[in-house]
């Protein structure tokens, strides 16, 4: 039997799934690594740790899933966006991986926002004005880490580095290049003005290729460890955002894809570049004349994890004794509170925020607390705040792409009945949940099949997705949300005037964050 491995290099871990050619999953593996946050706004990872995680994950799924002399035809890649690594002339890292969550370039993003150059750059490249972008990270390195900047022979992201390490081939596919802010979204070539401003040359960047581009042949030492043939194909794949959208079947214009994992996003494909006049959304070319418009959100399930750890320590211990999942226990607690949490609103900006604020200084808050509120109200308000935030991004997306004709959702958040219903009620729209939980890996597998000539049309991924469940808004509930959401949005605008002040205080007195 022949197999394809879809691998997703995420912010906190790498997942590998082993598929047969019919899309059936035979094995899964998940390997984590450390996110270094030693100083304020820093968010780095060791590229060698991530590489080793991919090696171990592939080794595990091959060992667990392949029987009777089966063969892995291809390994196809999904990865986190906006990462940046400096390499020397021998391709050795001069830096750790600066992830999308690294906000140390905030000063330069703020300058570009104030002087108008950021908006001009956004209109050419589709990258919002935010320190997540490698464009702004390069400005920071150029001005504040000049010794490293001058030594750099190449600038790459984590996916390009990993594939180079396996194959000795350095390429970058279009969707990942678009997320750097160095690619002109209309020409799909490196943008001359962006290169000029960062003082990066084309020779320092990988050659651009399509998402289905394949490389055959990997180093024997790695093939032996993984248990695959040296002739295996590496398919470039795409960004996690693009593939998670494809993987739920949100291919047509007008279909909205919502993904709520550790972070979250709202996205939609369009057939030509569409930028937001207010620069609240990104617009990246992906493949075959398709562009992805959307808003990424820092604060998805990670906020629920914070509330779980910070507010419900006793329940965690109780769950252990009962041999029950503590997150499920919290969801059950939240279900006992009425929709709207009795007027308690939570702004989930615990790690700054990208869309819709694009403010690295944003901070979280509860609003409306009174003596009647309990921890149960707080945990429900946290879940509702995540969905309110997504909805506020969707309002911006509607201005650019129009009313959605369908909403597809995936991610850990919608694995609970409460999360699914909350989404339908806030959006006042039917929400469809595909059975394909690992949508990014599934889409990576499908791109490999296209690359190998085993599939022709992107739309045909739908036959691999399986069944879907549909959830309708509850008439008795959504009126409460309809009343609260405008308050949530107005509050976020009012509080925005003080985000920088409180963030500066926390930087000056770091113990204030602990």
């Amino acid at each position: 039997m022949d197999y394809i491995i879809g691998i997703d290099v995420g912010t906190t871990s790498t997942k590998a799934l082993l598929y047969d050619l019919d899309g059936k999953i035979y094995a899964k593996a998940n390997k984590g690594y450390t996110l270094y946050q030693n100083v304020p706004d820093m968010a780095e990872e060791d590229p060698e740790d991530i590489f080793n995680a991919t090696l171990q994950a592939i080794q595990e799924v091959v060992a667990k899933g392949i029987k009777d002399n089966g063969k892995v035809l291809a390994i196809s890649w999904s990865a986190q966006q906006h990462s940046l690594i400096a390499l020397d002339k021998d391709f050795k890292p001069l830096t750790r991986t600066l992830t999308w969550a690294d906000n140390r370039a905030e000063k330069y993003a703020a300058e570009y926002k104030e002087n108008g150059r950021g908006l001009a750059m956004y209109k050419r490249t589709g990258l919002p004005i935010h320190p997540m972008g490698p464009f702004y990270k390069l400005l920071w390195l150029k001005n504040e880490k000049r010794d490293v900047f001058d030594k750099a022979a190449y600038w790459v992201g984590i996916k390009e580095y990993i594939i180079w390490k396996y194959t000795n081939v350095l390429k970058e596919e279009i969707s990942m290049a678009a997320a750097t802010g160095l690619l002109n979204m209309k020409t799909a070539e490196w943008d001359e003005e962006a290169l000029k401003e960062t003082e990066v040359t084309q020779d320092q960047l990988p050659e651009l290729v399509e998402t289905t581009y394949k490389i055959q042949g990997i180093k024997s030492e790695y093939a032996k460890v993984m248990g695959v043939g040296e002739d295996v194909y590496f398919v470039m794949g795409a960004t996690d955002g693009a593939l998670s959208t494809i993987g739920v079947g949100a291919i047509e214009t007008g279909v909205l894809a919502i993904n709520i994992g550790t972070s979250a996003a709202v996205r939609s494909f369009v057939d030509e570049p569409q930028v937001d006049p207010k620069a609240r959304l990104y617009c990246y070319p992906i493949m075959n004349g398709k562009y992805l418009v959307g808003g990424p959100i820092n604060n998805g399930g990670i906020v629920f994890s914070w509330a779980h750890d910070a507010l419900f320590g006793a329940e965690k211990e109780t769950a252990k004794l009962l041999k029950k999942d503590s997150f499920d226990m919290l969801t059950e607690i939240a279900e006992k509170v009425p929709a709207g949490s009795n007027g308690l609103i939570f702004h989930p900006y615990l790690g700054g925020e990208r869309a819709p604020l694009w403010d690295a200084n944003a901070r979280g808050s509860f609003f409306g607390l009174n003596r009647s509120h309990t921890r149960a109200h707080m945990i429900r308000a946290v879940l509702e705040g995540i969905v309110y935030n997504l909805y506020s991004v969707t309002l911006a997306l509607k201005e650019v792409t129009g009313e959605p004709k369908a909403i597809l959702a995936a991610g850990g958040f919608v694995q609970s009945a409460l999360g699914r219903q909350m989404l339908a009620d806030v959006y006042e729209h039917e929400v469809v949940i595909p059975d394909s939980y690992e949508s990014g890996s599934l889409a990576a597998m499908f791109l490999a099949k296209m690359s190998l000539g085993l599939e022709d049309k992107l739309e045909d991924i739908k036959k691999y997705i399986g069944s879907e469940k549909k959830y309708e808004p509850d008439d008795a509930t959504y009126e409460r949300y309809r009343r609260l959401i405008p308050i949530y949005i107005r509050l976020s605008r009012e509080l925005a005037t003080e985000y920088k002040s409180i963030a500066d205080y926390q930087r000056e007195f770091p113990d204030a964050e602990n």
Side-chain angles (χ1 to χ4, degrees):
M1 183 182 291
D2 293 331
Y3 301 88
I4 292 171
I5 294 173
I7 189 160
D8 184 6
V9 181
T11 306
T12 56
S13 67
T14 286
K15 299 175 186 176
L17 280 80
L18 180 72
Y19 296 89
D20 69 12
L21 298 188
D22 293 323
K24 180 181 176 182
I25 297 171
Y26 281 78
K28 300 179 182 180
N30 189 15
K31 303 296 179 183
Y33 26 81
T34 301
L35 181 67
Y36 296 95
Q37 297 178 292
N38 308 106
V39 298
D41 298 320
M42 172 184 177
E44 295 182 348
E45 292 170 338
D46 187 332
E48 299 308 319
D49 286 349
I50 300 177
F51 174 81
N52 288 329
T54 69
L55 189 64
Q56 293 164 15
I58 295 169
Q59 179 190 42
E60 183 174 326
V61 296
V62 170
K64 290 193 320 189
I66 294 185
K67 310 296 181 187
D68 303 323
N69 297 315
K71 181 177 181 180
V72 176
L73 298 181
I75 299 171
S76 184
W77 298 82
S78 166
Q80 54 177 289
Q81 302 176 93
H82 310 301
S83 61
L84 182 67
I85 309 168
L87 303 178
D88 69 13
K89 60 182 177 59
D90 297 316
F91 297 91
K92 293 180 180 178
L94 295 169
T95 64
R96 288 193 292 215
T97 305
L98 278 65
T99 71
W100 61 267
D102 193 297
N103 286 326
R104 286 174 290 179
E106 191 275 334
K107 167 186 172 183
Y108 301 95
E111 287 178 0
Y112 267 63
K113 183 178 288 187
E114 290 170 8
N115 63 27
R117 293 166 71 185
L119 183 61
M121 199 271 297
Y122 165 72
K123 290 178 178 178
R124 293 195 317 274
T125 68
L127 176 77
I129 311 165
H130 189 273
M132 70 177 184
F135 173 85
Y136 295 105
K137 291 180 171 73
L138 286 165
L139 294 178
W140 173 70
L141 288 164
K142 180 180 75 168
N143 287 283
E144 301 188 28
K145 304 285 183 181
R146 190 74 203 200
D147 57 333
V148 173
F149 187 88
D150 288 340
K151 290 177 185 175
Y154 306 99
W155 297 101
V156 300
I158 187 60
K159 180 156 71 79
E160 297 78 62
Y161 176 70
I162 289 171
I163 292 174
W164 171 83
K165 190 157 184 177
Y166 280 115
T167 66
N168 271 342
V169 176
L170 187 64
K171 306 285 186 183
E172 186 161 9
E173 47 80 20
I174 294 296
S175 74
M176 195 64 77
T180 65
L182 301 175
L183 188 84
N184 186 294
M185 65 177 164
K186 293 181 180 178
T187 65
E189 297 176 353
W190 296 119
D191 184 76
E192 291 184 7
E193 187 63 27
L195 298 188
K196 180 180 177 182
E197 294 187 37
T198 56
E199 297 181 16
V200 170
T201 67
Q202 286 200 33
D203 292 340
Q204 292 178 289
L205 299 171
E207 179 186 354
L208 294 170
V209 295
E210 295 298 323
T211 57
T212 51
Y213 184 88
K214 60 184 182 292
I215 303 163
Q216 187 173 31
I218 63 172
K219 295 177 183 177
S220 59
E221 62 201 90
Y222 300 130
K224 185 176 180 180
V225 171
M226 292 188 293
V228 302
E230 292 180 37
D231 61 345
V232 69
Y233 285 102
F234 268 35
V235 178
M236 292 299 295
T239 64
D240 53 2
L243 290 180
S244 64
T245 305
I246 294 169
V248 296
I251 309 298
E252 297 89 0
T253 298
V255 177
L256 201 65
I258 298 174
N259 188 281
I260 314 176
T262 303
S263 56
V266 185
R267 310 178 182 98
S268 183
F269 274 112
V270 293
D271 296 328
E272 58 184 24
Q274 292 187 8
V275 295
D276 173 24
K278 300 177 184 177
R280 294 166 295 181
L281 307 167
Y282 64 69
C283 180
Y284 300 147
I286 305 299
M287 60 183 299
N288 300 330
K290 285 192 173 293
Y291 296 79
L292 194 64
V293 178
I297 294 167
N298 290 1
N299 300 286
I302 195 170
V303 180
F304 187 37
S305 297
W306 164 80
H308 170 274
D309 294 342
L311 302 176
F312 288 88
E315 284 73 12
K316 288 169 62 178
E317 296 306 314
T318 301
K320 287 180 184 177
L321 292 173
L322 297 176
K323 296 183 179 179
K324 188 174 183 178
D325 185 275
S326 55
F327 285 93
D328 289 344
M329 181 178 286
L330 262 62
T331 301
E332 291 172 6
I333 292 171
E335 284 179 316
K336 296 175 182 177
V337 172
S341 305
N342 288 6
L344 182 61
I345 292 174
F346 179 70
H347 285 87
Y349 309 137
L350 302 189
E353 191 50 283
R354 290 181 289 173
L357 305 181
W358 297 106
D359 188 347
N361 292 316
R363 295 295 185 265
S365 59
F366 283 102
F367 178 83
L369 268 173
N370 62 43
R371 288 190 297 273
S372 72
H373 288 122
T374 66
R375 288 184 305 151
H377 291 90
M378 295 175 79
I379 192 62
R380 180 163 187 128
V382 165
L383 294 172
E384 289 173 338
I386 294 168
V387 180
Y388 295 165
N389 200 33
L390 280 163
Y391 184 74
S392 64
V393 178
T394 305
L395 293 176
L397 191 58
K398 286 180 181 180
E399 291 179 24
V400 176
T401 64
E403 288 288 332
K405 60 185 181 184
I407 298 176
L408 306 178
F413 188 92
V414 296
Q415 300 312 301
S416 76
L418 178 63
R420 295 189 291 265
Q421 192 60 50
M422 194 179 286
L423 205 60
D425 292 343
V426 169
Y427 274 76
E428 296 186 37
H429 199 289
E430 178 188 81
V431 174
V432 179
I433 312 293
D435 275 353
S436 57
Y437 177 63
E438 300 291 357
S439 55
S441 298
L442 176 69
M445 179 278 294
F446 186 81
L447 283 190
K449 292 197 72 174
M450 292 184 68
S451 178
L452 296 172
L454 302 175
E455 291 286 354
D456 296 321
K457 297 181 295 183
L458 195 61
E459 291 75 11
D460 287 340
I461 193 172
K462 293 179 182 179
K463 65 187 178 185
Y464 297 94
I465 292 172
S467 60
E468 300 174 331
K469 295 182 178 65
K470 298 180 180 180
Y471 296 84
E472 299 290 340
D474 184 343
D475 294 348
T477 299
Y478 67 69
E479 177 62 31
R480 293 173 180 249
Y481 291 134
R482 190 183 289 180
R483 296 276 298 277
L484 284 172
I485 288 170
I487 300 173
Y488 173 93
I489 293 172
R490 289 196 300 270
L491 272 172
S492 67
R493 292 171 181 161
E494 294 290 334
L495 292 170
T497 60
E498 294 298 336
Y499 284 148
K500 186 176 186 304
S501 299
I502 197 64
D504 286 345
Y505 174 86
Q506 291 172 345
R507 293 183 185 110
E508 185 177 355
F509 302 100
D511 59 318
E513 290 195 11
N514 298 325

